[in-house]
Amino acid sequence: MQISKINLKNNPNLTFIANFLKPYTQRAYLVGGSVRDMLLGLELFDYDIEIYDINIKDFDSVMQKLGAKGFGKNFFVYKFRNFDMALARTENKISYGHKGFEVKICNDEKLGAKRRDFTINALMINIFSGEFLDFYNGLQDLKQGILRHINDQSFQEDSLRILRAIVFASRFNFKIADETLNLMRNMDIKDLSQDRINAELYKFFQTSYLNLGYKYLQELDLEKEIFGFKGDFESLEFQNLLKEARKIIKDEALFLYLYLNFFKLNKEVFFKKTRLKKEYLKKANQAFYLNDIDDFELAKIAFDMPLKEWLGLWDEKRVEQAKKLKLYENKFESKIVTQDLIDAGFFGKALGEKLQELKENELKEYIKLNKNT
Ligand code: CTP
């Protein structure tokens, strides 16, 4: 199906911006991720608008008038509500690093779209007329679930795009086109700072198809570089675990929890190397059982949290088991009073051990009783 127009009328903020820009230009386009996500039927949070036919000086005053805030010094980019607005531009790599680009204003939509990473991210919708522009067959790739780069040279100039490809593949369950994968194999991410890498990793951790992203990380030989460790590429066991567990556990710490525990990595060393958020370390330290877990071990985890919060509750069998124990929604509430033990003369290590022993006995009783009811 060929799309030639898209109705944008049901977005009041967009209508407001279109009305505001109308006296200055007839060429302003919704671009990038917002068009892609709209066509995928996803909820939109941020919008990018690319504007033509206004010069830099006038653009600045038009944006001031709108009350938009400028950012990114050379890029003529302004923010208004959840809209990023920028003059159309071309980018030319002139020096090392992700900021080493010469930026020039551009007057041609096809050229403006050429600097973009993937065909699915180069779609444009005119915000006044609804006209749909697709210079690089992005719609077809979107329908077929393919991530394809637009231009060899500009793609290679931006190593962040390797990680972006992995994130998109993993988010949408998309395949990276062979020609793009081949190009990526000849690139490296050495010029990226750890912060930049981590920003993409945080996006990856939120995706639905972690197994696919992980497969690409391995295929592109990035696992060692990013995590300092290399899992067994031949083994599908971990990929299957990622896939199955993700269907149940939505928490963004799931990947690291499974990765660090499955491969038995030293978590402190890992977090020191990657400098990823410490809150993930806490979650990665939750109990981990690869195989079946008995009622007592499972119930013990509920000393600390309701089992629905446990990252290891990754299959239906465990969910059922937790529900049967009535520890799915609520954690186990012990009736043991620590003060009683202190009054009885326990302190320090002995106090901790006694407390644990009594709580475990109490839990065993609870399981027995619960089974009979
Ligand atoms: N873009 C690019 N190369 C990059 C970063 C961005 O080509 N290294 C282009 C893409 O066209 C992208 C758009 O700029 O769609 C907006 O970038 P960004 O907001 O980072 O990504 P989105 O595609 O909107 O994805 P997300 O949903 O993750 O924000």
Side-chain angles (χ1 to χ4, degrees), residues 20-78:
F20 178 83
L21 288 176
K22 220 179 231 157
Y24 309 101
T25 177
Q26 290 177 354
R27 293 197 297 164
Y29 298 89
L30 206 58
V31 290
S34 41
V35 180
R36 177 198 69 219
D37 289 354
M38 182 187 293
L39 293 171
L40 286 172
L42 302 172
E43 197 179 342
L44 302 183
F45 299 101
D46 300 305
Y47 299 80
D48 286 309
I49 294 182
E50 187 172 82
I51 298 168
Y52 292 77
D53 303 326
I54 305 183
N55 68 42
I56 299 175
K57 207 168 133 273
D58 289 348
F59 185 58
D60 191 55
S61 56
V62 169
M63 288 294 107
Q64 304 282 353
K65 201 169 155 197
L66 178 65
K69 288 211 160 36
F71 67 97
K73 268 186 203 153
N74 298 319
F75 293 77
F76 332 111
V77 185
Y78 287 79

Side-chain angles (χ1 to χ4, degrees), residues 34 55 100 116 125 178 180 183 244 281 315 323 334 339 356 363 365:
S34 41
N55 68 42
R116 300 195 175 272
I125 305 171
D178 290 344
T180 305
L183 208 61
E244 292 308 312
L281 175 59
D315 64 28
K323 285 184 176 166
S334 170
Q339 190 59 45
Q356 186 66 16
L363 194 61
E365 277 308 306

Side-chain angles (χ1 to χ4, degrees), residues 31-34 36-37 46 48 84 89 91 113-118 120-123 150 158-161 164 167-168 171-172 196 200 203:
V31 290
S34 41
R36 177 198 69 219
D37 289 354
D46 300 305
D48 286 309
D84 285 357
R89 60 190 189 262
E91 286 172 351
K114 191 175 156 195
R115 77 179 167 87
R116 300 195 175 272
D117 48 5
F118 302 105
I120 62 165
N121 287 342
L123 301 167
I150 291 179
D158 183 359
S159 54
L160 190 74
R161 292 175 168 177
R164 285 174 61 85
V167 171
F168 290 130
R171 187 190 293 169
F172 301 128
R196 215 62 195 154
E200 295 306 311
K203 291 192 209 161

Side-chain angles (χ1 to χ4, degrees), residues 264-320:
K264 301 189 174 64
L265 303 187
N266 182 319
K267 300 187 182 86
E268 297 293 337
V269 172
F270 178 89
F271 276 86
K272 215 168 175 181
K273 173 183 163 42
T274 59
R275 303 202 303 269
L276 286 161
K277 278 192 251 179
K278 277 285 154 52
E279 57 189 81
Y280 290 143
L281 175 59
K282 210 168 148 222
K283 291 194 172 173
N285 275 327
Q286 288 184 6
F288 181 83
Y289 293 87
L290 190 54
N291 300 312
D292 284 352
I293 173 169
D294 66 31
D295 281 351
F296 179 60
E297 295 295 348
L298 184 62
K300 261 201 322 193
I301 296 164
F303 279 146
D304 300 320
M305 68 191 102
L307 290 175
K308 66 177 182 188
E309 285 174 19
W310 178 46
L311 297 182
L313 206 73
W314 66 54
D315 64 28
E316 288 301 342
K317 196 171 153 201
R318 289 183 180 183
V319 173
E320 276 314 300

